[in-house]
């Protein structure tokens, strides 16, 4: 059943280590994913054999770094099914991507107080940047199962807003949002759409052209890549019109003390020496993913999610949060009488790694009427055994406190 | 090798389930609210300190994990009836205990149950939250009342 | 003489590789420095044994990552002789640091068109961000040897400006600027000072308190650390008052759709999942540097620079650019009748790696009346042999073209 | 193993030192300026195309490395007297040569001296800069003069 997952585990060195003296059961992949050996090796190779900076050197290691950087951009474009690599901007991660769009795309278009439509399930990264850019964030409500209210969405779009910003997959509920439909609705109202793909990129096959959005972004560290790198995809016509975000080397055309002209996109948005090793690691991660049968893996994940959902349902006092029909591998829950922090801590003592807290979704937690929750999240190396260990621990914890 | 018993001792779970002095005071002389933005935990603390600088009553309320709740509960039990300097000293000892610094464990009495926290740096904040709020309550009011009872 | 350098070379794996089939002579360290094995190992260890995200996890790898992140901040504070680690903000690099200060410190204080004093030798990274923030950049002139005109500086400060932004060491001239004196002058006029330490950090011992500046920044990749990480140091009172730069996870206190409150500095300025591996690599780099006798290395570099200056003086038609009395290991030059690009290319064919172009200092090149220059730059692994190979190649090139 | 001779052939250095057709034209029919922001190189190009679509005169000026200068110089020599379609075809061949694609090297004549560039991707822009400017000059004016001589 999870034959693929089991065969993959060996390529993730961290999964073979001990945690608190027990074999590590890593169930926090929605926070950050572990890295396959291929990704680690790509970066080590860069730093030990080929290290140089990009663009400005004619010597061999700089030439190689430049070609690798360009190849990484091509790889990201392919991963997102983008029309061209020029539509891909390298950033630190999803958070920076959204800040870039808020600052360079939204801010020049709006008066302070203009509305950006978000959802009740958004990550702080898809709320705070719009607020910092001077907008008011207005949420599309969700149902108790964790699904977007599309009727309300239509109404709110009709009421007028400058932007729609919505996650493709919720990091707290697992909900897969109907982004194609949302984009179609927004288009009818002339509203540009940003899709936060941080949680979708590791689970789904992405096609930004089929989705019909204006902006799409994700973080490298959640798709088995390194920290400090991510990508923003934007329609070429938007990038062409947007002013630069940060200023510095490599994003300029001509600098004088009186004023400066800028390079064309995407370079216009990539000031300074970038995270070259990060792009190389991300390229390796996406190449590694590309070589897998992602459709089969998605099916396995659905089966694994169903299996885990069943197991957790049997834990006395446990309430699962988020039961959308379309859902990625995220299991968020509370246990009557036990604080999520204690759940995570006690599981940790047995080597089981899950997350407790608000998962950077305070407004969602307020909507759900809970202070915090516990969350176990799956990746393509997750197995039934992981979930059995989790359920076993939860039963023990439930007994400890009741 | 770690076991859950190390940190979640029976006395801790018992206090978390039935916290002592879990109430607001009607006329506290000192008060402080604390919140840990990372985990959302909250503690609200009332103290009554008499003219001699003795903590005659104490009450807390809040949301939090078992460690923070039990720690606040056992703190209230431990410092009730103590003078302010004694409470401060106990804080120092407790802080040393949960951060793995050497201290006189006997002087801590039941509080020694929290020794296991030292192995989990991420949980030190939980175990000390009530204590920090207590220290702040005492500090804060000292400024407001320069002729008050604390030195 | 360069006994230390020779003994260090073995720990830099790239230096043992071939470039275009020849042993690599790497003389572009001002662009980016090679990495010692200790730095590469620290990151590999993180990704293979300890990988987890920071702050929000109680499980062991997250705990370790959090402690490592905090330790990295402490290490940077120590490296800069800062009073406290809370004054250190992790950023992508020097460029992002300056953009952060321009956006969050300067912009709220000024009316558009206000003056930021820079120098004729600044890197684009210390010009464009101020312009993007709405300021006019006015340069302090330099002498033909590449030294700042302090009389002019005093006059320009007296004429009024909102900020002084100056490099500690020039990446094109090698000039070490008198930053203590400049800060003293600026203080008399109540002008806050940012020091761009990108080129100073690899060469000098930094003491931000003794310098007396308000902001100091550097890039990890130039101090033998990884790409994608750097640090901004700022006085605590500035950080406390500055609004956040980017919004998202980890920089918040309380998020609602109506408005958001922020965490205290430095977290307020570190939105999103940061480049954790980068901080760990940077910590390893600074730890490695700390263990060396930096005073002795600085003396060796001065000797090596004098040696190289002498060698280049003997190349027919070569003109050295930048001959400040206080100078770091940078040799910039032009050769009569040969374009710098051709110099770099032909040297490259023999494995000698130098840089040609404007080195992100277009205004300086305009001031010097040259389109572009060639630059060889030293690091603590540079040797006399490197410079002899360079000089040998230059003589050959000079003959080819004349 | 690379040698500097591969890219810096004698003919290239000779053209870089004494570029041909290094002049502005007095009454060009086509003109374009090009600049490479990364290295600052500049080329300014004038062309005269007659009614039959033949390039009757050509002149360039600019700043640049030996590769870009020699390439522009040898280009002017090569396309002078050719028709616009022939010039375009030569560009395609030259581009293939310097990017390592297969092409009919004999048809390139002396331009084959640039073959060594293919091993140095960072220098391809230098070698093709004059050519791109030439192509743009021809394209640009086609739009401005829709009934002009180019198809
Ligand atoms: C003096 C100076 N300032 C700023 C920078 C920009 O640094 P980074 O590209 O790492 O952001 C550099 C290096 O490129 C530099 O030499
Ligand atoms: C849905 C969602 N959006 C945005 C983010 C922010 O990503 P990052 O922290 O990598 O910038 C995350 C992850 O933390 C996320 O799950």
């Amino acid at each position: 059943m999870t034959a693929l997952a089991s065969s993959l585990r060996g390529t993730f060195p961290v999964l073979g280590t001990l945690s608190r003296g027990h074999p590590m059961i890593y169930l926090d992949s929605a926070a950050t994913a572990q890295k396959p050996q291929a990704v680690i090796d790509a970066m080590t190779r860069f730093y030990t054999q080929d290290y140089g900076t990009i663009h400005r050197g004619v010597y061999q290691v700089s030439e190689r770094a430049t070609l690798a950087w360009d190849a990484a951009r091509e790889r990201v474009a392919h991963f997102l099914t983008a029309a061209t690599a020029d539509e891909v901007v390298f950033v630190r991660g999803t958070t920076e991507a959204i800040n870039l769009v808020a600052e360079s795309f939204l801010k020049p278009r709006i008066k302070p107080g203009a509305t950006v439509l978000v959802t009740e399930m958004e990550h702080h990264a898809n709320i705070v940047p719009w607020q910092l850019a001077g907008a008011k964030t207005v949420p599309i409500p969700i149902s108790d199962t964790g699904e977007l209210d599309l009727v309300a969405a239509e109404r709110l779009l009709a009421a007028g807003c400058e932007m729609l910003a919505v996650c493709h997959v919720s990091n707290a509920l697992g909900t897969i949002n109907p982004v194609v439909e949302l984009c179609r609705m927004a288009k009818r109202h002339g509203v540009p759409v940003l899709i936060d793909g941080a949680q979708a990129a590791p689970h789904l096959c992405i096609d930004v052209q089929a989705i019909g959005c204006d902006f799409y972004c994700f973080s490298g560290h959640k798709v088995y890549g390194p920290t400090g790198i991510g990508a923003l995809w934007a329609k070429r016509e938007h990038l062409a019109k947007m002013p630069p975000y940060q200023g510095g080397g490599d994003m300029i055309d001509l600098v004088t003390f009186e004023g400066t002209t800028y390079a064309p996109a995407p370079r216009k948005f990539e000031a300074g020496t970038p995270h070259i090793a990060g792009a190389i690691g991300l390229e390796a991660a996406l190449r590694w993913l590309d070589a897998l049968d992602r459709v089969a893996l998605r099916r396995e994940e659905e089966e694994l999610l169903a299996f885990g959902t069943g197991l957790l349902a049997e834990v006395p006092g446990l309430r699962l949060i988020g039961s959308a029909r379309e859902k990625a591998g995220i299991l968020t829950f509370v246990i009557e009488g036990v604080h999520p922090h204690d759940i995570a801590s006690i599981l940790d003592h047995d080597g089981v790694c899950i997350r407790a807290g608000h998962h950077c979704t305070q407004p969602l937690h307020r909507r759900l009427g809970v202070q915090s929750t516990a969350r176990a999240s799956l990746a393509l190396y997750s197995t039934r055994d992981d979930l059995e260990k989790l359920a076993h621990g939860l039963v023990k914890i439930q007994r400890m406190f009741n | 090798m770690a076991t859950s018993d190390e940190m979640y001792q029976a006395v801790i779970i018992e206090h978390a389930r039935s916290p002592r002095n879990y109430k607001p005071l009607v006329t506290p002389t000192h008060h402080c609210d604390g919140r840990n933005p990372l985990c959302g935990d909250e503690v609200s603390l009332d103290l009554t300190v008499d003219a001699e600088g003795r903590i005659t009553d104490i009450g807390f309320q809040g949301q939090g994990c078992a460690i923070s709740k039990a720690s606040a509960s056992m703190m209230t039990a431990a410092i009730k009836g103590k003078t302010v300097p004694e409470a401060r000293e106990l804080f120092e000892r407790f802080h040393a205990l949960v951060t793995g610094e050497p201290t006189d464990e006997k002087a801590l009495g039941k509080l020694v149950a929290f020794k296991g926290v030292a192995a989990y740096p991420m949980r030190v904040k939980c175990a000390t939250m009530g204590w920090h709020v207590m220290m702040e309550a005492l500090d804060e009011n000292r400024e407001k009342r320069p002729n008050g009872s604390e030195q």
Side-chain angles (χ1 to χ4, degrees), chain A, chain B:
Chain A
M1 213 72 106
T2 49
L4 258 170
S6 310
S7 74
L8 289 174
R9 278 178 86 84
T11 72
F12 289 82
V14 166
L15 299 179
T17 65
L18 299 182
S19 184
R20 311 288 186 202
H22 301 272
M24 183 195 278
I25 306 292
Y26 188 74
L27 288 166
D28 197 16
S29 295
T32 199
Q34 296 298 338
K35 317 307 169 202
Q37 192 65 49
V39 169
I40 302 165
D41 288 348
M43 289 187 288
T44 306
R45 202 178 317 115
F46 177 54
Y47 282 127
T48 53
Q49 295 173 27
D50 287 330
Y51 184 72
T53 191
I54 59 169
H55 291 327
R56 287 166 292 180
V58 298
Y59 51 84
Q60 189 169 46
V61 289
S62 180
E63 173 185 298
R64 283 191 187 152
T66 306
L67 296 175
W69 175 256
D70 293 343
R73 203 192 297 280
E74 293 284 349
R75 177 70 63 178
V76 170
H78 177 254
F79 179 72
L80 297 175
T81 327
T84 133
D86 286 349
E87 294 180 327
V88 172
V89 178
F90 282 117
V91 290
R92 179 168 30 242
T94 306
T95 301
E96 179 164 65
I98 300 174
N99 278 276
L100 195 165
V101 176
E103 198 62 29
S104 290
F105 176 76
L106 183 75
K107 201 172 178 180
R109 292 162 69 102
I110 63 162
K111 294 211 185 76
T115 297
V116 169
L117 218 55
V118 295
T119 81
E120 283 185 338
M121 66 177 91
E122 290 315 309
H123 189 280
H124 295 162
N126 205 14
I127 299 173
V128 185
W130 310 113
Q131 296 176 340
L132 285 179
K136 202 178 77 182
T137 47
V138 172
I140 301 171
I142 58 168
S143 71
D144 289 339
T145 58
E147 290 180 343
L148 273 187
D149 180 342
L150 293 182
V151 177
E154 176 70 52
R155 187 172 22 92
L156 287 164
L157 281 165
C161 62
E162 294 292 337
M163 185 100 195
L164 169 62
V166 50
C167 58
H168 196 163
V169 170
S170 156
N171 70 309
L173 300 167
T175 310
I176 302 176
N177 284 315
V179 286
V180 175
E181 196 168 342
L182 284 165
C183 287
R184 224 183 284 131
M185 283 166 56
K187 199 164 219 172
R188 276 203 303 273
H189 295 282
V191 173
V193 184
L194 175 138
I195 305 289
D196 167 357
Q199 295 297 336
H203 296 283
L204 309 177
C205 295
I206 315 289
D207 183 337
V208 289
Q209 300 181 79
I211 291 171
C213 54
D214 296 86
F215 301 96
Y216 197 98
C217 52
F218 70 96
S219 301
H221 70 98
K222 295 191 202 262
V223 287
Y224 314 100
T227 60
I229 192 84
L232 166 68
W233 170 86
K235 278 190 183 155
R236 175 198 281 276
E237 65 253 36
H238 292 320
L239 289 181
K241 282 187 222 142
M242 287 157 61
Y245 179 55
Q246 299 184 331
D250 267 358
M251 55 70 76
I252 58 97
D253 173 32
L254 193 73
V255 176
T256 73
F257 291 118
E258 289 72 40
T260 293
T261 54
Y262 306 108
R267 273 208 293 127
K268 177 168 62 172
F269 301 104
E270 293 173 348
T273 307
H275 183 12
I276 309 166
I280 287 172
L282 178 58
E283 197 279 334
L286 299 182
R287 181 154 35 96
W288 178 83
L289 266 178
D290 263 352
L292 300 175
D293 182 348
R294 294 197 75 198
V295 175
L297 284 166
R298 174 78 194 115
R299 207 162 40 231
E300 282 204 2
E301 191 192 303
E302 279 176 346
E303 284 171 24
L304 191 62
L305 179 66
F307 175 77
T309 305
L311 275 184
L312 293 197
E314 287 165 25
V315 177
L318 184 145
R319 178 161 67 90
L320 201 68
I321 290 178
S323 52
R325 275 152 304 174
E326 296 285 323
K327 209 184 141 172
I330 286 172
L331 290 158
T332 295
F333 57 91
V334 290
I335 297 179
E336 183 67 37
V338 194
H339 192 284
H341 237 94
D342 297 315
I343 299 176
S345 248
I346 300 170
L347 288 173
D348 165 48
H349 298 168
D350 291 329
V352 178
C353 308
I354 70 156
R355 167 63 39 103
H358 51 60
H359 321 302
C360 293
T361 55
Q362 288 180 353
L364 174 67
H365 280 70
R366 225 170 290 124
R367 156 69 179 81
L368 299 168
V370 288
Q371 252 272 319
S372 62
T373 52
R375 180 185 74 184
S377 51
L378 310 177
L380 43 73
Y381 42 67
S382 302
T383 62
R384 291 191 166 206
D385 180 57
D386 293 347
L387 291 171
E388 275 161 357
K389 292 240 169 59
L390 167 68
H392 179 81
L394 292 177
V395 169
K396 186 183 91 177
I397 290 164
Q398 202 276 336
R399 282 208 209 99
M400 261 173 87
F401 281 84
N402 288 286
Chain B
M1 197 178 300
T3 75
S4 47
D5 305 333
E6 259 177 43
M7 191 152 82
Y8 288 85
Q9 309 243 337
V11 59
I12 289 180
I13 291 181
E14 197 271 315
H15 268 266
R17 259 202 299 229
S18 322
R20 316 300 193 266
N21 303 304
Y22 196 80
K23 59 178 185 197
L25 299 191
V26 185
T27 53
T29 56
H30 297 68
H31 171 84
C32 185
D33 294 322
R35 199 162 65 82
N36 180 343
L38 278 185
C39 64
D41 287 1
E42 294 171 343
V43 175
S44 173
L45 188 85
D46 289 333
L47 292 151
T48 306
V49 181
D50 71 10
E52 277 75 47
R54 194 168 292 279
I55 296 163
T56 55
D57 203 2
I58 182 164
F60 86 103
Q61 284 178 292
Q63 294 218 34
C65 60
I67 301 297
S68 79
K69 227 171 192 166
S71 165
S73 169
M74 290 171 74
M75 172 190 80
T76 61
I79 70 169
K80 200 165 174 172
K82 290 223 165 32
T83 65
V84 170
E86 283 166 354
R88 284 187 206 282
E89 195 191 342
L90 203 60
F91 166 75
E92 296 301 336
R93 283 197 208 287
F94 184 78
H95 195 269
L97 180 83
V98 297
T99 53
E101 302 290 323
T103 187
D104 179 2
E105 295 188 8
K106 274 202 225 93
L108 280 161
K110 278 191 192 169
L111 293 171
V112 87
F114 288 95
K115 191 174 180 182
V117 172
Y120 303 94
M122 296 300 107
R123 303 307 304 279
V124 169
K125 272 195 186 155
C126 305
T128 56
M129 179 156 172
W131 290 86
H132 280 293
V133 170
M134 183 265 289
M135 294 293 284
E136 252 190 73
L138 295 175
D139 274 354
E140 199 180 20
N141 287 43
R142 186 178 49 181
E143 301 226 329
K144 283 196 206 128
R145 311 190 316 173
N147 304 319
S149 47
E150 306 113 63
Q151 79 286 57

